[in-house]
Amino acid sequence: LEEAKQVTVTMEGRSFTPPPRRIDDILAFLDQPSGPESAAIEKLKARAAESPPDNADDSTLANFYFRRGEAASILSLFKQSNEDFRTALRYAEKANIKPPKLLAKLGVSEFISGNFKHGIDLLEQSLKIQERPNTYAQLVKLHSRVGDLESAERYKRRGVHLCNQLKGRQGWGVWPELFAAQMRAYILEAQGKFAEAEKHYRKIERIISKSMREKYPVVPFVNRIYLARNMKRQGHLLEAELQARQALKDVVGYGGKESEAVGATIGDLGDFLQRQGRLRESEKLMRTGIRIIEKSDISADSYIAGQNRIWLGNVLTDKGDFVAAMEQYDIARENLRGNQYLYKGFLARNPNLM
């Protein structure tokens, strides 16, 4: 681990101080009481905790659950947002309406839950009703994830064209530029061009404004996690760890320490540590992440829960604790059996199980 021994690492003209070589600071951070929240976060949390109005009609309830689910989504409360968006769609169908933004939000939520095909179907339904840059970006990502690069490229071309048309229009700000950069990064990564994709994640990092960070904290958080995973794929494990550490602090700051996103981010960080050979610390983090995910009641067959179980199994395999590793793989196998895409992706192709 020669890279870990350097005091300062320079990559493509960027210098940074490597992260601490222990995880005590992370565990201490998770144990500390939370600091004061911004007014924007307080408002989002209040909206996510609202109760439905009494004696409301179907259209009003559809709008209520959509707004509450949107707040939960921004706070990375995945289970609540998924349930709220599903409820919103049921009421919308009763009211004989089909809001394209609701379909798109539910599509993203279903993707996070591991229902990739259903997520794609909902996003494509939304796009037929209304073209939106974010819908295109999500379709590029999902089609790339399932290996349909032809569809991903087609949606990227159409989406980038729309973004170019919207750029500079009043009310859009930097969003078209951001979504275009996302689409380009997703395609490049699917093609294995990780260094080229990195440039687009860096661009997004630069153009996100302070007001966007406060109003939509999930946007810089997600970009930082994707950048960290990109660094991992390039073999830059120290910067991957550094990005994940900051992402963890970001998500704790707006979503709280027991949110699903915290458990997922801890899983990513544990994966980066495993790849550095820091197995004891990786296992400790992985188990913390799984505990948080289980406490959040997110579905056991979700993408997040399944990925973290497999990662823990991989760490235990590297440690030579094969019995404990198989226990984790068996839990994941049973939980993911009903989701064939994730089952094949996480288990059937796992070299530790071949």
Side-chain angles (χ1 to χ4, degrees):
L1 297 177
E2 186 62 31
E3 183 186 16
K5 299 175 184 177
Q6 299 174 11
V7 176
T8 302
V9 178
T10 302
M11 297 170 57
E12 294 185 2
R14 300 183 313 277
S15 296
F16 69 95
T17 301
R21 305 316 301 152
R22 297 175 62 84
I23 61 165
D24 296 356
D25 62 312
I26 298 174
L27 299 176
F29 166 70
L30 292 172
D31 285 337
Q32 289 173 0
S34 301
E37 295 171 341
S38 68
I41 297 301
E42 288 181 353
K43 186 176 180 179
L44 284 169
K45 288 188 173 181
R47 186 187 299 174
E50 286 178 357
S51 298
D54 295 329
N55 304 317
D57 60 24
D58 293 333
S59 178
T60 300
L61 286 170
N63 184 60
F64 166 80
Y65 281 106
F66 171 75
R67 290 179 69 254
R68 195 174 81 172
E70 193 171 39
S73 176
I74 293 171
L75 292 169
S76 298
L77 302 174
F78 304 134
K79 182 173 184 289
Q80 180 188 333
S81 65
N82 190 241
E83 291 175 348
D84 279 351
F85 289 143
R86 286 176 175 176
T87 303
L89 184 59
R90 286 198 296 272
Y91 280 114
E93 288 172 340
K94 287 182 181 179
N96 201 29
I97 56 176
K98 228 173 188 180
K101 194 173 181 182
L102 169 58
L103 291 170
K105 292 285 186 181
L106 179 56
V108 174
S109 180
E110 294 291 359
F111 153 70
I112 292 172
S113 297
N115 304 317
F116 283 21
K117 186 178 184 304
H118 187 40
I120 289 173
D121 289 343
L122 288 164
L123 285 159
E124 289 179 338
Q125 287 180 48
S126 173
L127 199 62
K128 288 177 182 177
I129 301 170
Q130 180 186 28
E131 284 191 301
R132 297 173 62 249
N134 191 26
T135 309
Y136 274 114
Q138 295 298 335
L139 280 167
V140 173
K141 177 168 65 177
L142 266 65
H143 278 293
S144 296
R145 293 283 177 90
V146 300
D148 185 357
L149 294 191
E150 183 179 346
S151 294
E153 181 63 43
R154 184 175 69 252
Y155 281 119
K156 189 210 79 172
R157 288 196 301 269
R158 290 166 54 185
V160 169
H161 177 70
L162 176 62
C163 289
N164 289 336
Q165 290 181 316
L166 295 174
K167 195 182 298 183
R169 289 193 187 180
Q170 187 175 2
W172 278 98
V174 301
W175 288 107
E177 194 174 359
L178 184 149
F179 290 129
Q182 285 182 339
M183 287 184 267
R184 291 185 174 109
Y186 299 152
I187 287 289
L188 288 167
E189 287 195 321
Q191 295 170 340
K193 300 175 181 177
F194 300 113
E196 292 181 48
E198 177 193 349
K199 297 173 184 176
H200 296 287
Y201 290 128
R202 299 283 183 190
K203 179 179 180 178
I204 294 169
E205 195 174 43
R206 290 194 304 272
I207 67 177
I208 295 175
S209 66
K210 182 179 178 181
S211 62
M212 288 169 68
R213 292 177 189 277
E214 291 178 351
K215 192 172 182 181
Y216 303 101
V218 69
V219 174
F221 162 71
V222 168
N223 188 67
R224 192 178 291 279
I225 282 294
Y226 286 177
L227 177 58
R229 293 172 183 171
N230 178 281
M231 292 291 97
K232 175 186 73 172
R233 293 181 180 112
Q234 293 190 63
H236 303 321
L237 297 178
L238 285 182
E239 186 163 5
E241 179 187 345
L242 192 71
Q243 294 290 347
R245 281 171 173 267
Q246 186 57 53
L248 182 61
K249 291 179 180 178
D250 291 345
V251 73
V252 166
Y254 72 80
K257 295 176 181 175
E258 299 295 327
S259 71
E260 299 97 310
V262 170
T265 306
I266 287 174
D268 273 294
L269 185 51
D271 178 46
F272 303 154
L273 296 181
Q274 179 208 0
R275 291 166 187 268
Q276 295 177 40
R278 297 159 64 187
L279 301 181
R280 185 183 65 81
E281 294 181 313
S282 177
E283 181 186 354
K284 188 182 293 186
L285 275 180
M286 292 288 191
R287 292 192 183 279
T288 300
I290 288 173
R291 176 186 60 77
I292 291 172
I293 289 170
E294 288 179 336
K295 189 173 181 180
S296 74
D297 290 329
I298 192 170
S299 176
D301 67 352
S302 69
Y303 177 88
I304 293 170
Q307 178 71 88
N308 278 34
R309 285 283 180 191
I310 298 301
W311 276 341
L312 177 56
N314 293 345
V315 172
L316 294 168
T317 298
D318 283 0
K319 289 182 70 177
D321 192 346
F322 302 114
V323 173
M326 286 307 303
E327 181 181 345
Q328 295 301 320
Y329 292 141
D330 286 344
I331 293 172
R333 182 182 285 110
E334 184 61 32
N335 290 341
L336 297 176
R337 196 172 297 279
N339 189 326
Q340 283 302 299
Y341 176 78
L342 293 182
Y343 183 87
K344 291 176 182 177
F346 288 163
L347 290 162
R349 299 170 191 160
N350 189 319
N352 293 328
L353 294 173
M354 292 180 180

